[in-house]
Amino acid sequence: MGKAVNLFNGKDLTGWKASGQNQWVVKDGILTSPKAGSNLITEQKYNDFKLHVEFRYPQGGNSGVYLRGRYEVQIEDSKQDAHPNSVLFGGVYGFLTANEMATLGPDVWQSYDITLVGRLVTVVANGKTIISNQEIPGITGGALDSNEAEPGPIYLQGDHMPIEYRKIVITQAK
């Protein structure tokens, strides 16, 4: 693996652009979308990588992290006793289901460590491996494009509800 790079500097939106009118703000080192609005997209594109992201959502929250701008890992206020589903917490939207509900619930900082190599993804939520080296069969809803063989950006879904991020680190494969 290459060197770990902070995609969010804790101060401003350097390295990111909004998909439309920007509602994202940085306050006290936290990247926040206070209301539904634009998605936030990295200016740089990535191929194979490991992504560490720390996030917090309110009750009823719904967002997601898009890998290469094409595959959404769901961030959603799912009940801890819910039966896992691809559209719930930790799922790859519409395709891959977490093997357990590893959510800590709303208003708590949580983390994903996501490794993407080709179309094979591993998702570790709050220290538990919930998807292990499974193939994503295609692009998920909301994808920026369908050019799966090409590098793409990381993007944070901002079009549903408020969401907060405090750490976003990518390590590219060599």
Side-chain angles (χ1 to χ4, degrees):
M1 288 295 223
K3 185 175 170 241
V5 175
N6 283 313
L7 295 181
F8 171 55
N9 66 15
K11 299 180 186 99
D12 57 35
L13 298 178
T14 299
W16 296 84
K17 62 182 187 246
S19 62
Q21 183 163 352
N22 179 43
Q23 81 283 357
W24 294 84
V25 293
V26 178
K27 186 175 178 203
D28 300 326
I30 296 172
L31 175 61
T32 304
S33 175
K35 62 183 181 8
S38 295
N39 300 319
L40 200 61
I41 305 166
T42 58
E43 291 171 355
Q44 191 169 340
K45 294 183 175 184
Y46 305 94
N47 194 16
D48 295 340
F49 56 81
K50 182 172 185 182
L51 180 69
H52 174 81
V53 58
E54 295 176 13
F55 55 89
R56 181 169 64 184
Y57 52 79
Q59 186 165 359
N62 184 343
S63 185
V65 176
Y66 280 77
L67 315 174
R68 289 191 213 121
R70 298 179 192 108
Y71 314 112
E72 179 188 4
V73 177
Q74 182 76 332
I75 294 174
E76 200 253 2
D77 183 19
S78 304
K79 297 196 179 330
Q80 289 168 316
D81 63 353
H83 186 73
N85 184 300
S86 67
V87 301
L88 297 181
F89 185 90
V92 175
Y93 196 86
F95 288 127
L96 304 178
T97 299
N99 61 20
E100 68 175 284
M101 293 305 292
T103 178
L104 302 177
D107 305 313
V108 177
W109 284 107
Q110 304 191 57
S111 68
Y112 284 159
D113 288 288
I114 304 165
T115 303
L116 183 65
V117 177
R119 286 165 71 168
L120 297 175
V121 67
T122 296
V123 178
V124 177
N126 301 316
K128 293 180 179 177
T129 301
I130 57 170
I131 294 176
S132 181
N133 207 36
Q134 290 189 45
E135 184 173 12
I136 304 170
I139 62 170
T140 61
L144 298 175
D145 63 44
S146 59
N147 305 326
E148 292 187 87
E150 297 176 12
I154 301 301
Y155 102 65
L156 308 177
Q157 189 177 39
D159 63 356
H160 288 344
M161 300 185 72
I163 181 77
E164 297 175 313
Y165 293 90
R166 68 179 178 190
K167 194 169 185 186
I168 307 167
V169 179
I170 196 162
T171 307
Q172 295 188 79
K174 287 190 170 170

